[in-house]
Amino acid sequence: MATESYKDTLLPLLLEASVLSFGTYTLKSGRVSPYFFTSSLLHTSTLLGALARSYASVLTSPPFSLLLGKDEAGSDSKVPYSPQFDILFGPAYKGIPLSAIVTRELEFSGKQFAGVSYAFNRKEAKDHGEGGTIVGAPLKGKRVVILDDVMTAGTAMREAVSIIKAQGGIVVGVVLLLTRQERVSDSEPRSAMKVAEDELGIPVRAVLKFEDLIEAIEAGQLQGAGPEQLEQMKIYREKYGSIGKGLVAAYLSRPNNTVIAGVRDLQHPTSVSLQSLPKDPSSSLIVVKIDSLSETDALDAVAKLESKHDVDNLDVVVANAGISAIWPAVAEAKPSDMIDHYRVNAVGITLLFQAVLPLLKKSSSNKNITPKFVTLGTIAGSIAAQETVPVPNAAYGPSKAAMNWITKKIHLEHPYLIAFPLSPGFVDTDMGKAGAKFFGMGPEVLITLDESINGMTKVIDSATRETASGKNLTYEGKEDPY
Ligand SMILES: O=P(O)(O)OC[C@H]1O[C@H](OP(=O)(O)OP(=O)(O)O)[C@H](O)[C@@H]1O
Ligand SMILES: O=C(O)c1cc(=O)[nH]c(=O)[nH]1
């Protein structure tokens, strides 16, 4: 994936240029951060070149650029994609040089990018000469991508969106150098990036993210950053980090839902932070401990739901716990790895099903609805697709094939239930990217977390015994072979 390889070449350069510093910094949002990313230190020709190429690699790939028609592709075309934007907009001040150097860089990607322009705003309106607040290409009626260096709480991006809209431009995306992966505010615990994607319905991509910085420090790649700085960054992450538990958030945002989240460790900050997810006033969240490796956790959780929370029926259960840790060929697979995957992905799912079955049955008999038991599918678990996905996978693959078998058998053994594996697709996260690359698939298969969650909830909502149960479905509602 283009973004990925640029991350690998860019990060060492940035660290060498000391763009990351440690101390006490007050941010635009007023937050006091133990680290600061100073993109203006990237002022040499070499660094500007690397920077421009990394932004350009994102902009010349989907979803910002899409496949060309045959006659559009010229012989000089370095990339097979055509831009879906007209103007790169850099919010003042640090976005200004970015918009210019990246526009220049796009020329090297082929003639289809020749018409792309740049524009930026002035922080103070100019009252002489040409006047106004916008410099560069007029925005009216144009498709605009915002380029900025860092996103923290997303204020700069929201300001840029309103400036562009006021000029009649259409914002179609945002590309950043670094997302600090912070929440918008205490009452909005989703990341600024996710909120922008949700509310503006546009793609927001970053070449680097906070987690990459943490990884670089942990790998000892950063001079001057040791255990103390790492600890400070992790404390800061607990304070301002975002929450991305997509399915829990999606069901909580709907009315009249009691959402039950199973977590391995109730005290883990991510588990605690689930409580701050926004919810519809008529919905509530219960967090219970379920470790898939435990033979009693799921039963204990159900007993607690009944005795403490008055929950005696369940309409939908999504069994999404799973591990995918190692990908050996059959000749190299270690028994311990095979067993670990089987225990979580097949036995853990079965134990959960056994524990929730009485509550699913009650939903069926008391409420006369057809309850749903959904497992998380993957093409890696398909025997029929082995020729098209020829990669070593002898621990995860067979454990998911077993899970598919168990899910289909649940469908056959319980005619009052809807049971099916549902594949979430390759979400554009490090794990999703690695997964897609591993299965020999290009960046075009990557989707946003939102697309995945929206697709999955839609498939679950509309599933019936006839249309879905016993089938191996994807988030798009398509059928994969078993
Ligand atoms: O996501 P946010 O919380 O808005 O923070 C990030 C913004 O803050 C910084 O700009 P700043 O306005 O400080 O100014 P500059 O570009 O003029 O240095 C940075 O360059 C981003 O634009
Ligand atoms: O949030 C900000 O203001 C901010 C954070 C950061 O790391 N770098 C920056 O330039 N601004």
Side-chain angles (χ1 to χ4, degrees):
M1 160 96 194
T3 319
E4 201 65 355
S5 58
Y6 271 95
K7 182 176 97 180
D8 295 342
T9 47
L10 195 64
L11 190 54
L13 285 175
L14 301 188
L15 299 182
E16 214 176 290
S18 306
V19 283
L20 193 60
S21 50
F22 298 93
T24 304
Y25 303 94
T26 302
L27 307 184
K28 184 179 172 104
S29 53
R31 293 172 191 175
V32 178
S33 166
Y35 79 98
F36 197 74
F37 190 89
T38 314
S39 70
S40 50
L41 287 172
L42 305 169
H43 46 65
T44 67
S45 58
T46 310
L47 287 167
L48 287 174
L51 203 55
R53 283 190 293 279
S54 66
Y55 278 94
S57 81
V58 179
L59 287 161
T60 53
S61 316
F64 299 99
S65 294
L66 297 177
L67 267 188
L68 283 172
K70 269 196 190 121
D71 44 352
E72 277 177 90
S75 54
D76 69 330
S77 196
K78 300 268 172 7
V79 294
Y81 300 113
S82 190
Q84 303 300 301
F85 54 90
D86 308 303
I87 295 176
L88 300 179
F89 181 89
Y93 289 102
K94 292 197 293 294
I96 297 174
L98 289 176
S99 65
I101 59 165
V102 179
T103 305
R104 170 75 182 100
E105 182 67 31
L106 287 180
E107 193 199 353
F108 305 116
S109 296
K111 68 170 187 201
Q112 68 273 32
F113 292 92
V116 174
S117 305
Y118 78 90
F120 60 82
N121 64 302
R122 293 194 162 97
K123 280 202 175 179
E124 307 82 15
K126 182 171 166 178
D127 58 6
H128 59 279
E130 80 278 20
T133 51
I134 302 295
V135 183
L139 302 174
K140 196 167 175 24
K142 300 290 183 193
R143 298 166 300 172
V144 183
V145 173
I146 299 170
L147 294 194
D148 206 355
D149 59 341
V150 179
M151 186 188 276
T152 304
T155 314
M157 188 212 53
R158 285 189 293 279
E159 285 167 0
V161 168
S162 63
I163 292 169
I164 294 163
K165 283 191 173 164
Q167 297 287 325
I170 307 145
V171 181
V172 294
V174 180
V175 182
L176 307 156
L177 178 56
L178 171 76
T179 168
R180 294 177 50 116
Q181 294 182 290
E182 295 185 26
R183 64 179 68 169
V184 172
S185 64
D186 285 343
S187 58
E188 176 44 271
R190 288 175 299 168
S191 74
M193 264 177 91
K194 170 118 175 66
V195 169
E197 286 198 316
D198 286 357
E199 281 165 19
L200 301 173
I202 55 169
V204 184
R205 297 284 186 274
V207 179
L208 297 169
K209 54 186 189 307
F210 175 83
E211 289 299 332
D212 297 325
L213 304 180
I214 293 270
E215 265 176 37
I217 298 174
E218 280 173 343
Q221 290 171 347
L222 199 54
Q223 275 185 8
E228 198 188 316
Q229 284 72 21
L230 191 60
E231 185 58 20
Q232 290 301 321
M233 283 177 83
K234 287 186 174 173
I235 292 171
Y236 182 81
R237 173 172 62 185
E238 291 314 328
K239 200 161 174 198
Y240 293 115
S242 62
I243 300 169
K245 294 285 161 195
L247 274 178
V248 174
Y251 283 112
L252 267 181
S253 67
R254 298 180 176 190
N256 303 315
N257 271 343
T258 302
V259 181
I260 299 148
V263 299
R264 269 182 299 171
D265 175 1
L266 290 168
Q267 263 68 53
H268 191 278
T270 314
S271 310
V272 174
S273 60
L274 288 173
Q275 295 293 356
S276 345
L277 281 173
K279 32 175 138 19
D280 184 274
S282 59
S283 288
S284 58
L285 174 73
I286 303 169
V287 184
V288 290
K289 176 180 178 293
I290 304 179
D291 183 336
S292 299
L293 289 173
S294 155
E295 287 189 19
T296 50
D297 267 11
L299 281 170
D300 291 347
V302 167
K304 207 167 174 187
L305 287 177
E306 290 177 315
S307 62
K308 281 210 169 150
H309 299 282
D310 276 341
V311 174
D312 69 348
N313 68 83
L314 290 171
D315 299 340
V316 179
V317 173
V318 182
N320 71 334
I323 57 166
S324 171
I326 190 160
W327 302 273
V330 176
E332 275 121 37
K334 291 198 191 105
S336 56
D337 288 330
M338 295 184 78
I339 291 166
D340 285 351
H341 282 74
Y342 189 79
R343 281 190 67 194
V344 175
N345 298 343
V347 180
I349 297 292
T350 309
L351 290 171
L352 178 69
F353 175 71
Q354 291 168 351
V356 299
L357 183 58
L359 276 63
L360 291 169
K361 270 186 188 162
K362 279 205 188 125
S363 234
S364 160
S365 54
N366 298 358
K367 290 157 74 181
N368 202 24
I369 63 161
T370 314
K372 297 165 184 173
F373 184 79
V374 182
T375 54
L376 278 219
T378 162
I379 196 70
S382 166
I383 293 177
Q386 280 198 13
E387 275 88 4
T388 47
V389 190
V391 291
N393 204 1
Y396 179 65
S399 73
K400 282 292 194 179
M403 184 208 74
N404 282 351
W405 188 97
I406 291 161
T407 312
K408 184 158 181 184
K409 201 67 176 166
I410 290 171
H411 153 76
L412 293 170
E413 290 177 348
H414 301 274
Y416 53 89
L417 287 184
I418 295 163
F420 60 97
L422 177 59
S423 162
F426 293 106
V427 177
D428 195 358
T429 59
D430 278 355
M431 209 171 137
K433 276 180 197 142
K437 197 167 155 192
F438 187 67
F439 291 123
M441 294 169 181
E444 65 285 350
V445 302
L446 294 173
I447 50 169
T448 63
L449 181 63
D450 257 9
E451 284 172 295
S452 172
I453 299 294
N454 292 344
M456 285 170 71
T457 47
K458 211 163 137 192
V459 173
I460 295 172
D461 286 344
S462 62
T464 65
R465 183 78 195 155
E466 293 68 36
T467 57
S469 201
K471 295 189 175 151
N472 187 12
L473 296 180
T474 72
Y475 75 99
E476 292 173 296
K478 293 187 185 143
E479 208 177 332
D480 268 348
Y482 269 108

